[in-house]
Amino acid sequence: MLHSLKSDLELKEQLEEIPDPRRIKGRRYKLVPLLLLLILGFLRGRKNVKDVLESYAEDRDMLDFLGLIPFCHLRSNMIYFPPTF
């Protein structure tokens, strides 16, 4: 278990080094939790972003764990991140 936790922390640290291409005004949620959600979805066999978002729409525990619950809404079985204006 310790090795797994160490690997998770290393992945998170590596993801934090990725520059966020979004404008400052458009950053309502952090990039790392979104990237982790996508990685987990692709590891679960999802083929595209839409499939990933649909697969996690009902998994509120995972969204909460990643810190995404305050920023997303569930709409027609899909996670919806409202546009930032």
Side-chain angles (χ1 to χ4, degrees):
M1 182 70 170
L2 182 59
H3 175 71
S4 176
L5 180 60
K6 182 179 177 189
S7 298
D8 293 343
L9 292 175
E10 289 174 3
L11 174 61
K12 184 177 181 286
E13 289 170 0
Q14 290 176 356
L15 291 175
E16 287 172 348
E17 293 178 15
I18 296 174
D20 192 336
R22 301 171 295 174
R23 294 178 295 136
I24 298 286
K25 189 175 182 180
R27 296 181 188 180
R28 285 192 174 181
Y29 40 88
K30 295 181 180 181
L31 182 62
V32 172
L34 291 176
L35 293 174
L36 287 171
L37 184 73
L38 292 172
I39 290 168
L40 291 171
F42 293 137
L43 288 173
R44 289 176 67 188
R46 304 305 180 245
K47 302 293 183 201
N48 55 51
V49 173
K50 181 182 176 196
D51 289 346
V52 171
L53 296 179
E54 288 174 349
S55 71
Y56 282 107
E58 299 300 322
D59 194 348
R60 296 190 67 82
D61 289 336
M62 178 60 73
L63 295 174
D64 189 40
F65 177 76
L66 293 173
L68 295 173
I69 286 288
F71 304 106
C72 66
H73 307 287
L74 300 181
R75 180 201 284 184
S76 52
N77 294 332
M78 188 167 162
I79 302 169
Y80 169 70
F81 294 96
T84 56
F85 296 103

